[in-house]
């Protein structure tokens, strides 16, 4: 049972978050990488609603079952590119943050694959999905009903 329904949310709250979401989606990172990041954050934060959503989005984008089922153990598999691994490593570090600064090795692994501008987008994308997962877990949105919107 939802604690807070979509209709209880203050007008403009989701719309303003979606403005940021649209900004991120227009970045040079590519939607498939963004969705991998979103699914990974959802897994790390235990957000069933977001796991359902981003799993479905990735399937719609043609992601393989093997990579989807292995994302939760990505460090132990050979299925992800070095670029994806660098982004996922940053995702893990920023999602379960310690009080310590981001390790230099985590940042340095990004630089062969991403410009400084793209690292800014990555950081914002990770922060944004962390916000969404926290909202969904608090509101207790029910997983399973999400449907991918068909683009024209």
């Amino acid at each position: 049972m939802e604690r807070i329904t979509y209709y209880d949310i203050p007008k403009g709250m989701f719309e303003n978050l979606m403005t940021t979401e649209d900004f991120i989606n227009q970045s040079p990172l590519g939607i498939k990488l963004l969705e991998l990041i979103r699914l990974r954050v959802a897994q790390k934060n235990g957000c069933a609603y977001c796991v359902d959503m981003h799993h479905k989005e990735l399937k719609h984008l043609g992601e393989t079952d093997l990579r989807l089922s292995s994302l939760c153990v990505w460090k132990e598999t050979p299925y992800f590119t070095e670029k994806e691994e660098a982004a996922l490593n940053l995702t893990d570090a920023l999602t379960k943050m310690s009080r310590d600064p981001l390790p230099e090795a985590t940042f340095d692994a990004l630089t062969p694959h991403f410009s400084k501008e793209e690292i800014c987008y990555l950081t914002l994308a990770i922060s944004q999905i962390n916000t969404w997962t926290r909202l969904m877990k608090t509101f207790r949105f029910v997983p399973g009903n999400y449907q991918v919107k068909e683009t024209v």
Side-chain angles (χ1 to χ4, degrees):
M1 187 72 171
E2 291 178 348
R3 291 179 180 144
I4 298 175
T5 69
Y6 182 79
Y7 301 104
D8 297 325
I9 297 166
K11 186 177 183 338
M13 184 174 168
F14 275 10
E15 292 81 1
N16 283 309
L17 285 169
M18 287 307 297
T19 298
T20 302
E21 200 75 14
D22 292 340
F23 175 75
I24 294 165
N25 287 342
Q26 296 304 311
S27 77
L29 296 177
I31 195 67
K32 200 166 183 181
L33 179 62
L34 288 169
E35 287 298 330
L36 274 176
I37 289 166
R38 291 168 178 151
L39 180 55
R40 181 63 181 148
V41 169
Q43 290 173 339
K44 299 259 319 163
N45 287 336
C47 181
Y49 182 84
C50 296
V51 166
D52 174 58
M53 172 188 287
H54 298 293
H55 183 273
K56 288 175 179 173
E57 289 289 344
L58 281 162
K59 282 296 288 182
H60 180 73
L61 293 170
E63 188 56 78
T64 67
D65 289 330
L66 180 62
R67 282 171 39 105
L68 283 170
S69 66
S70 300
L71 185 59
C72 62
V73 290
W74 69 268
K75 288 182 183 181
E76 301 170 34
T77 71
Y79 312 135
F80 299 92
T81 66
E82 286 184 16
K83 180 177 182 175
E84 290 168 333
E85 288 176 354
L88 290 169
N89 200 40
L90 180 66
T91 300
D92 286 358
L94 296 182
T95 299
K96 297 288 185 187
M97 289 189 77
S98 72
R99 295 180 61 122
D100 299 324
L102 183 72
E104 287 299 321
T106 301
F107 187 85
D108 291 346
L110 296 167
T111 59
H113 309 286
F114 298 100
S115 67
K116 288 181 181 179
E117 177 183 314
E118 290 169 325
I119 293 170
C120 291
Y121 280 115
L122 279 171
T123 305
L124 180 60
I126 294 163
S127 299
Q128 176 81 349
I129 187 59
N130 270 288
T131 297
W132 282 113
T133 61
R134 284 156 174 78
L135 291 171
M136 295 304 100
K137 286 188 67 128
T138 301
F139 300 168
R140 201 178 275 163
F141 273 28
V142 178
N145 298 321
Y146 178 80
Q147 294 182 6
V148 175
K149 291 181 178 73
E150 295 295 327
T151 55
V152 179

